[in-house]
């Protein structure tokens, strides 16, 4: 079970890297970021598939999307100059709270 969560964590990291590279690829017009995007998404989905062998799909996808949203919002803020207003910060906080509740308090977590 712990290996599945490791797969999920690495999948999320790969997806966040791929999404960041997608932004920099300028519509797949730059080769290096385009390759990082394709490889990153491929790795992310492969590892997600491995994680889904033991983690329920709803839980895995909730964690995947929640952590990914928060990470990409932070990267957008720190590296791409995107702004986060109060509503965005509250929404991100709610996403984090939802992932935390799902993993700590729900029996659906499969762990």
């Amino acid at each position: 079970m712990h290996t599945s969560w490791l797969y999920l964590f690495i999948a999320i990291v790969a997806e966040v890297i791929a999404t960041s590279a997608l932004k920099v690829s300028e519509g797949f017009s730059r080769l290096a970021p385009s390759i990082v995007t394709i490889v990153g998404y491929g790795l992310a989905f492969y590892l997600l598939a491995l994680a889904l062998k033991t983690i329920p799909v709803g839980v895995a996808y909730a964690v995947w999307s929640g952590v990914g949203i928060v990470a990409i919002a932070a990267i957008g803020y720190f590296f791409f100059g995107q702004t986060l207003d109060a509503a965005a910060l509250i929404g991100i906080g709610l996403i984090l709270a939802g992932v935390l509740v799902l993993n700590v308090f729900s029996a659906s977590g499969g762990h």
Side-chain angles (χ1 to χ4, degrees), residues 28-54:
F28 287 111
S29 64
R30 296 181 59 213
L31 182 61
S34 297
I35 291 170
V36 171
T37 298
I38 293 165
V39 170
Y41 281 132
L43 178 63
F45 283 105
Y46 173 72
L47 292 170
L48 177 61
L50 294 179
L52 290 176
K53 288 182 176 182
T54 58

Side-chain angles (χ1 to χ4, degrees), residues 18-104:
T19 301
S20 300
L22 182 62
K23 166 78 172 145
V24 179
S25 77
E26 297 178 11
F28 287 111
S29 64
R30 296 181 59 213
L31 182 61
S34 297
I35 291 170
V36 171
T37 298
I38 293 165
V39 170
Y41 281 132
L43 178 63
F45 283 105
Y46 173 72
L47 292 170
L48 177 61
L50 294 179
L52 290 176
K53 288 182 176 182
T54 58
I55 301 172
V57 67
V59 173
Y61 197 73
V63 173
W64 162 288
S65 59
V67 173
I69 288 167
V70 172
I72 288 297
I75 288 169
Y77 179 80
F78 288 110
F79 295 102
F80 299 125
Q82 298 170 349
T83 59
L84 298 171
D85 60 11
L89 293 173
I90 291 168
I92 289 169
L94 290 170
I95 291 167
L96 283 173
V99 170
L100 182 67
V101 166
L102 181 65
N103 281 289
V104 174

